[in-house]
Amino acid sequence: MALRRRTRSRIYRLAMYAVFIGAVVLIALMTDWERIGKQFFNLEVAAQLFPDIIVVALRNTILFTLIAFVGGLLLGVLFALMKLSVIAPFRWFATVWIELFRGLPALLTIFAMAFILPIAFGVKPPGGPVGAGLIGLILVASAYMAEVIRAGIQAVPKGQSEAARSLGMSPMKTMFWVILPQGFRIIIPPLTNEFVLLLKDTSLLFIAGTFLWSKELTTFARDANTTYANATPLIMAAIMYLIVTIPLTRFTAWLERRMARER
Amino acid sequence: MSTDLIDIHAPVIEVQGLVKSFGDNEVLKGIDLTVTRGEVICVIGPSGSGKSTLLRSVNLLEEPTGGRILVEGIDITDPDTDIDRVRRRIGMVFQSFNLFPHLSVLENLTLAQRRVLKRSKTEADEIAREMLGRVGLSEKADAYPSHLSGGQQQRVAIARALCMNPDMMLFDEPTSALDPELVGEVLQVMRSLADEGMTMLVVTHEMGFAREVGSRLIFMDGGHIVEQGDPREVLANPQHPRTQDFLSRVL
């Protein structure tokens, strides 16, 4: 009986392998490899992309990500503290802010900022349309990060603030010197994750309008795609994204494993 | 407030009719307690008797529902009182140590000195090292709390409180989270503090410490002070049936 059951499960497994391999072979046979090579992995086209793909596109992508991340982080701390405030209107305002910018598509927020800012305040944001788009991205980032930071603050044991308050430290000093440093340590993995999400969301900035110098990777690749009538730039941009994002997500996974071991 | 103006016979802590409720649950049902300078008061009682809540009320970690608490004559239940100023004079030691895990031992001891008392780094370091010496941990200044044993962590916590030059110390079951072999080193430090004349309010299960070091023993049950007096007398000859019952179970 036991032997028969084992035999049966082995047959099932072999059948699944066979179906999987069959499907892969079938798709490989149907594919026109020569055309793919020419259209997506064309070395001549790829060579034309340098150095701009690095010194303009990748540089802009990373620069815009850093600006959105730092801006979102600073605003995020502010809204996290407001959400935890004893003053009710602060809590309401933070709640509305967070729900608003988490609930809207990032693309819409970025696009809206490019129009609202010049009209409402009568000033052109620094950097032109990209600057306005970046402000939109900062708003989106601040809403997500406020929730992450709030969770981090609340994850610090109550005894920590009790110990600090017992030493005569004010609520502000307790937050700054005792709670936030520990809270941030806890939320490094989700913050790294947020950084990766922002890096990808910089591809939405094109909607606010771009100049030659302000192209990030996706816009750069789309334009090059048109110029050369060839899809290789898309593949190159994809590789550039992955060169940055995969080490970051691996780093997060490593951090999480290490923190789990420490606990 | 300069030290020479404090009347040394004035009560350090005066608790008057203290009531504390958590929702519908009344934990303290009218506590009156006067602590004079240099007294070492041990508070014992079954769990849920309100002894920790009483201790935590004295530095306002618990907000009283009713009654008054005066610390060196200052009413800390008055909303206008600057509680941070009063807390500097009250050292607090917790059951779970509550050292700051992101700071080294030395930084744990200097943080409040620098940010609250505005001492210079040099001065704060010097005082911190002196206090570490008093608890016998001079060589651990650069260690992080997670690398210390429970007994060492609790001694660091005591040193951290002492760095603020408190007039009194509150101990909330300081040895309850420790392995049995580590209890002695913490009690030793507390005993030397008592010998130096520190005013101490200690919630504890260590009857030996209460007998040998305490100047007064308080037995609490059901939110009331049921019995108090000289520790040796209360422990050897308890008057109230509930005290007798409690002691027969723990001794």
Side-chain angles (χ1 to χ4, degrees):
Chain A
M1 187 69 184
L3 187 76
R4 209 182 301 158
R5 194 180 301 152
R6 212 195 301 163
T7 316
R8 211 190 307 157
S9 82
R10 196 178 294 165
I11 291 168
Y12 276 139
R13 210 181 305 159
L14 279 174
M16 275 194 286
Y17 285 144
V19 169
F20 176 70
I21 290 168
V24 171
V25 169
L26 192 68
I27 292 168
L29 288 175
M30 286 163 63
T31 312
D32 184 343
W33 287 106
E34 207 187 313
R35 229 170 45 200
I36 284 197
K38 224 182 247 165
Q39 271 300 315
F40 292 94
F41 300 96
N42 190 321
L43 288 180
E44 277 164 44
V45 173
Q48 305 255 13
L49 300 174
F50 289 92
D52 279 5
I53 193 169
I54 305 281
V55 298
V56 177
L58 182 62
R59 171 189 161 276
N60 277 343
T61 291
I62 290 174
L63 180 70
F64 296 161
T65 309
L66 284 175
I67 291 171
F69 186 79
V70 172
L73 193 64
L74 293 176
L75 276 182
V77 171
L78 179 71
F79 287 112
L81 293 178
M82 281 175 81
K83 187 126 197 218
L84 295 169
S85 169
V86 289
I87 302 164
F90 280 5
R91 287 200 304 272
W92 301 334
F93 186 83
T95 305
V96 169
W97 180 281
I98 291 166
E99 293 305 322
L100 185 68
F101 289 111
R102 283 202 311 178
L104 292 174
L107 193 66
L108 181 105
T109 308
I110 291 167
F111 190 52
M113 281 306 130
F115 283 95
I116 291 171
L117 284 178
I119 294 169
F121 300 105
V123 285
K124 282 191 174 165
V130 178
L134 271 173
I135 290 173
L137 200 52
I138 287 173
L139 300 187
V140 175
S142 76
Y144 283 97
M145 286 204 242
E147 284 297 90
V148 171
I149 294 162
R150 181 185 59 79
I153 289 172
Q154 288 179 322
V156 177
K158 200 164 153 255
Q160 290 293 310
S161 69
E162 287 185 350
R165 298 304 307 277
S166 296
L167 289 164
M169 292 174 73
S170 67
M172 283 261 271
K173 283 175 182 161
T174 301
M175 182 56 73
F176 188 77
W177 294 103
V178 176
I179 307 299
L180 283 181
Q182 294 184 57
F184 268 105
R185 216 153 290 198
I186 298 169
I187 60 172
I188 287 173
L191 278 186
T192 316
N193 210 26
E194 187 58 36
F195 189 88
V196 172
L197 290 176
L198 275 178
L199 185 91
K200 293 184 288 178
D201 279 353
T202 53
S203 64
L204 304 172
L205 285 170
F206 77 91
I207 198 80
T210 38
F211 298 127
L212 263 181
W213 59 265
S214 66
K215 283 181 187 173
E216 37 63 48
L217 270 172
T218 300
T219 312
F220 176 86
R222 278 174 14 142
D223 292 355
N225 187 41
T226 316
T227 308
Y228 299 106
N230 186 292
T232 306
L234 300 180
I235 301 293
M236 292 301 292
I239 292 169
M240 293 295 155
Y241 278 115
L242 293 177
I243 285 174
V244 183
T245 54
I246 289 179
L248 279 174
T249 49
R250 291 289 85 205
F251 169 70
T252 313
W254 173 79
L255 262 185
E256 276 173 348
R257 272 200 309 276
R258 209 188 61 165
M259 285 167 107
R261 237 183 296 135
E262 274 175 10
R263 211 170 292 139
Chain B
M1 198 188 328
S2 78
T3 317
D4 49 346
L5 288 180
I6 295 174
D7 177 3
I8 59 159
H9 298 295
V12 182
I13 303 165
E14 254 185 295
V15 178
Q16 301 168 349
L18 176 62
V19 176
K20 173 67 186 177
S21 307
F22 295 102
D24 290 338
N25 182 19
E26 198 174 49
V27 179
L28 297 177
K29 299 171 179 169
I31 301 285
D32 294 293
L33 174 66
T34 302
V35 183
T36 52
R37 199 159 296 278
E39 268 195 296
V40 176
I41 299 185
C42 294
V43 185
I44 62 169
S47 65
S49 59
K51 51 194 195 305
S52 277
T53 308
L54 168 63
L55 194 84
R56 290 163 57 85
S57 299
V58 171
N59 71 353
L60 224 61
L61 286 181
E62 304 292 352
E63 198 103 24
T65 313
R68 293 209 309 164
I69 300 168
L70 294 112
V71 173
E72 291 176 329
I74 301 165
D75 183 0
I76 63 165
T77 51
D78 180 348
D80 291 335
T81 301
D82 181 357
I83 187 63
D84 294 338
R85 282 195 86 80
V86 180
R87 278 178 175 149
R88 292 178 207 171
R89 320 193 64 82
I90 311 174
M92 176 91 181
V93 176
F94 299 88
Q95 180 178 350
S96 50
F97 327 134
N98 293 350
L99 293 181
F100 306 133
H102 60 301
L103 301 177
S104 72
V105 165
L106 194 71
E107 290 164 338
N108 262 276
L109 268 60
T110 55
L111 178 65
Q113 289 192 67
R114 298 189 57 197
R115 304 301 158 198
V116 177
L117 300 180
K118 306 288 178 198
R119 286 176 183 156
S120 71
K121 180 169 162 40
T122 326
E123 191 189 0
D125 280 358
E126 197 179 311
I127 293 169
R129 288 184 191 281
E130 183 196 328
M131 295 305 163
L132 272 184
R134 274 178 75 173
V135 300
L137 289 171
S138 296
E139 77 285 1
K140 297 289 185 190
D142 299 319
Y144 277 81
S146 58
H147 295 137
L148 303 180
S149 73
Q152 290 171 332
Q153 288 193 47
Q154 194 60 297
R155 283 148 67 196
V156 170
I158 294 172
R160 179 174 69 178
L162 291 175
C163 284
M164 305 298 283
N165 307 111
D167 290 342
M168 71 209 79
M169 292 278 288
L170 309 176
F171 293 86
D172 188 6
E173 303 198 23
T175 58
S176 296
L178 296 176
D179 291 336
E181 75 272 20
L182 302 176
V183 169
E185 60 189 70
V186 172
L187 292 182
Q188 187 59 43
V189 169
M190 291 169 63
R191 182 191 294 259
S192 72
L193 266 180
D195 289 344
E196 288 162 28
M198 177 64 79
T199 309
M200 292 162 63
L201 195 54
V202 187
V203 171
T204 187
H205 296 292
E206 296 293 329
M207 298 303 161
F209 178 84
R211 186 187 298 118
E212 290 159 33
V213 183
S215 54
R216 188 169 15 144
L217 185 69
I218 288 178
F219 172 70
M220 282 183 73
D221 192 16
H224 296 283
I225 293 180
V226 176
E227 185 169 351
Q228 57 179 311
D230 182 273
R232 260 153 297 212
E233 272 170 38
V234 175
L235 288 172
N237 193 13
Q239 299 299 307
H240 198 284
R242 278 193 282 178
T243 321
Q244 292 165 358
D245 179 51
F246 175 74
L247 289 177
S248 72
R249 277 183 286 123
V250 298
L251 287 180

